[in-house]
Amino acid sequence: MSLLLCLGIFVFTSCDPEALLPDEPDVPVVQGDWTKAINEATVWSGKVTVKGTVYVNAELTIKPGTVVTFREDAQLYVQNEGSIKAVGLADTIIVLKAHEQGADWQRIYINDNAGKSSKFAYCHISGAEKAIEVYYNKVSIDNCVIKDCSVNGVYLHGESEFGSFTANTISDCEEYPLVIPFLQATAVTSDNEISGIGIALSGYQVGKKNGKVTIHEQTIPYVITQSYVEIDDNAEVTIEPGVTIAMGEDSYISVGYTSSGKLTAVGTEEKPITFTSNAKDKAAGDWDGIRFYEYASKSSALKNCHIEYAGGGDYGAVEVYYTAVAIDSCTITNSSSYGVLAHSESSFTSFTGNVIKDNELCPVRCSAAAAGAIAADNELDALGVEIYSYELTEKVTWVNLKVPFTIKASYLEIDDGGSLTIEPGVTVQFAENSYLSVGYNSEGKLVAEGTAEEPIIFTSAMNDKYPGDWGNIRFYEYSSAGCILDHCKILYGGDDGNSLYLYYCDAKVTIQNCEIAYSDGYGIYVNNASPTMSNNTYHDNKDGNNINGTEYTDAEM
């Protein structure tokens, strides 16, 4: 009952004067239409209608139970240290809505020069274009329902941030229900219920010094809307199980490009993390990939992740530059390039249980050393592992992956203390003119011990194989004692005059139970060396064989 009504019937005791008074003296409590700027602390209660643009230059408090309706194109524009405190109660909400259905109002806009204390709690906001838009400022939104927006529910520009963002429901927005800087993803906890086409993450750099960002599981994807996201300047990004990251056209995630950065994307079998294309009709190469650079933390990890439709710009779906990363139990498919591309001097801290198939190029391209981390439980398609490095100076083992290792560089030298052990059943393929060298400049060792059931095969990488497709295997004077070829097949070499070449390596090499065939020159050429040789088979070698200057036909060997 209004005070005027009370006066008219002379019943003052039936009114509650305190209900008409503000919480503090000299602050007017307002109902009815509002069109002018708010230049002093003001309280709204009851029913308020906003017309046009109302500039909020002071603190506006909206009391629980208030219903604010907005005429078409109306908005609240908060600036000049102004703020809005719209804090309802669980059983007494605040309603902000369109005055007429279908006549959208604009937004509540918090400018960069507004105060940083605006709060919305237990509010129902509907019928706006962008319900709450924040420009380089701060806002808290909790226990709110935001729906029926013709554009976005909440939009944070640039370095805007949430004071808090919990237990909200955002639905029925025609575009992204939530657009926020990448750094603010941490605030969007899993107790929020957000539906729509996705949560747009904006901003090129996550590099807030020593900043830690956690991306929580939601029922809709997070969408990278710009061309790249850089995780550096000591930032750490953790992606929780069940999250989907949808990447825009030609976009990529970069870790440690200019300074230290870390990405931890560890899903579970039940809740894998998915990196995919944001295109409606998804295709290989829609986005570029995930890149780990020189300054990426070597504790970065991808585990139980699905990575698909990447490889744009001839990049691998996962690319590693001069650092190390763990890739385990991941599925990598539909790349328009490689599944995993690790450049020289890059490595894997672990590489187990992955399924890498249906990519346009080979599943993995890496150095000879990095290939030693690829465990036998990985499932790779027939193109296998492409080796592109010129030198091996570490001690590594290539295990039987059931697919070939292909040496793509013009040569691979094992020296400077390096050692390559090849397990039974492995096939090593050589690109045109390429060769394998052991102990040329310094100590190196090759141990290739197959079995009768699982021989090791050194052969051409060509689909149609011919003598001379590749060079040879060479043992030089610095070959370490204990070099051995046992139950190996050396086929279609001889581009450099022989398939197996031993030069001044004394008695350090053992060759036994091997088949040496289809050379375009000599099968074996021994020069000033005394290898241990037994039970080998030679055939179809163009020039026969040469042992320390004496030539032998295949039959004579």
Side-chain angles (χ1 to χ4, degrees), residues 105-420:
W105 56 286
Q106 286 193 47
R107 60 190 173 168
I108 299 170
Y109 186 83
I110 302 172
N111 200 17
D112 59 343
N113 62 353
K116 299 185 183 301
S117 59
S118 290
K119 296 181 180 179
F120 298 85
Y122 293 104
C123 295
H124 285 199
I125 308 173
S126 62
E129 292 179 6
K130 297 178 182 178
I132 300 174
E133 186 172 4
V134 183
Y135 185 77
Y136 288 82
N137 210 306
K138 185 175 183 178
V139 67
S140 294
I141 305 173
D142 301 288
N143 297 290
C144 290
V145 175
I146 300 172
K147 63 180 183 177
D148 298 325
C149 297
S150 61
V151 185
N152 310 116
V154 177
Y155 195 119
L156 268 59
H157 293 266
E159 297 178 5
S160 299
E161 58 184 305
F162 289 121
S164 59
F165 191 89
T166 61
N168 299 294
T169 300
I170 306 179
S171 65
D172 300 307
C173 297
E174 292 186 15
E175 297 184 17
Y176 295 111
L178 186 60
V179 181
I180 57 174
F182 200 107
L183 279 168
Q184 294 307 303
T186 295
V188 184
T189 51
S190 295
D191 61 352
N192 292 280
E193 296 182 15
I194 305 172
S195 59
I197 62 174
I199 299 169
L201 299 180
S202 62
Y204 292 97
Q205 290 185 308
V206 182
K208 183 177 180 181
K209 192 168 185 179
N210 297 314
K212 295 184 178 181
V213 177
T214 299
I215 300 180
H216 304 284
E217 182 185 10
Q218 300 292 339
T219 58
I220 58 175
Y222 294 84
V223 181
I224 304 298
T225 57
Q226 65 284 337
S227 56
Y228 63 87
V229 172
E230 286 187 358
I231 302 170
D232 54 14
D233 200 14
N234 295 311
E236 298 182 11
V237 173
T238 300
I239 302 177
E240 290 188 342
V243 167
T244 293
I245 306 289
M247 304 293 296
E249 184 179 3
D250 299 329
S251 65
Y252 61 89
I253 297 172
S254 162
V255 185
Y257 181 61
T258 59
S259 56
S260 177
K262 180 180 177 181
L263 173 62
T264 303
V266 178
T268 65
E269 289 186 16
E270 297 77 18
K271 289 188 174 184
I273 295 166
T274 300
F275 297 89
T276 188
S277 164
N278 191 43
K280 181 179 180 181
D281 298 316
K282 298 178 180 11
D286 278 350
W287 61 289
D288 287 0
I290 304 169
R291 306 176 186 174
F292 296 90
Y293 286 97
E294 177 180 3
Y295 299 107
S297 169
K298 293 183 179 179
S299 59
S300 293
L302 301 173
K303 185 174 183 179
N304 284 305
C305 294
H306 292 175
I307 304 169
E308 58 187 17
Y309 302 109
D314 295 328
Y315 298 103
V318 178
E319 194 161 7
V320 187
Y321 294 83
Y322 302 101
T323 188
V325 64
I327 304 175
D328 300 292
S329 302
C330 291
T331 300
I332 303 174
T333 61
N334 296 112
S335 168
S336 63
S337 179
Y338 301 97
V340 176
L341 173 57
H343 295 264
S344 60
E345 299 183 36
S346 302
S347 58
F348 306 114
T349 53
S350 63
F351 199 98
T352 63
N354 300 295
V355 177
I356 309 178
K357 295 183 176 181
D358 300 319
N359 303 293
E360 291 189 15
L361 299 180
C362 69
V364 182
R365 176 171 169 147
C366 64
S367 69
I374 303 175
D377 62 354
N378 290 279
E379 295 182 29
L380 311 180
D381 61 23
L383 293 175
V385 178
E386 195 172 280
I387 304 297
Y388 201 96
S389 58
Y390 293 94
E391 191 174 38
L392 175 61
T393 61
E394 301 175 33
K395 293 177 172 60
V396 301
T397 298
W398 291 355
V399 302
N400 187 3
L401 300 171
K402 313 299 184 186
V403 293
F405 294 81
T406 301
I407 296 176
K408 294 288 286 187
S410 56
Y411 61 85
L412 174 62
E413 288 187 354
I414 305 172
D415 55 14
D416 200 20
S419 173
L420 175 59

Side-chain angles (χ1 to χ4, degrees), residues 37-51:
I38 296 173
N39 296 316
E40 61 180 351
T42 301
V43 176
W44 285 357
S45 70
K47 294 182 178 180
V48 178
T49 299
V50 177
K51 297 179 178 180

Side-chain angles (χ1 to χ4, degrees), residues 48-115:
V48 178
T49 299
V50 177
K51 297 179 178 180
T53 296
V54 172
Y55 292 98
V56 180
N57 301 314
E59 182 176 278
L60 170 62
T61 300
I62 304 176
K63 299 187 76 171
T66 299
V67 176
V68 182
T69 59
F70 292 79
R71 295 285 187 177
E72 187 171 7
D73 294 328
Q75 64 175 332
L76 294 176
Y77 194 105
V78 187
Q79 60 179 9
N80 297 332
E81 297 302 319
S83 64
I84 295 178
K85 291 184 172 62
V87 180
L89 303 171
D91 58 353
T92 314
I93 64 170
I94 295 168
V95 176
L96 301 102
K97 65 178 184 177
H99 186 74
E100 297 178 5
Q101 188 173 0
D104 290 350
W105 56 286
Q106 286 193 47
R107 60 190 173 168
I108 299 170
Y109 186 83
I110 302 172
N111 200 17
D112 59 343
N113 62 353

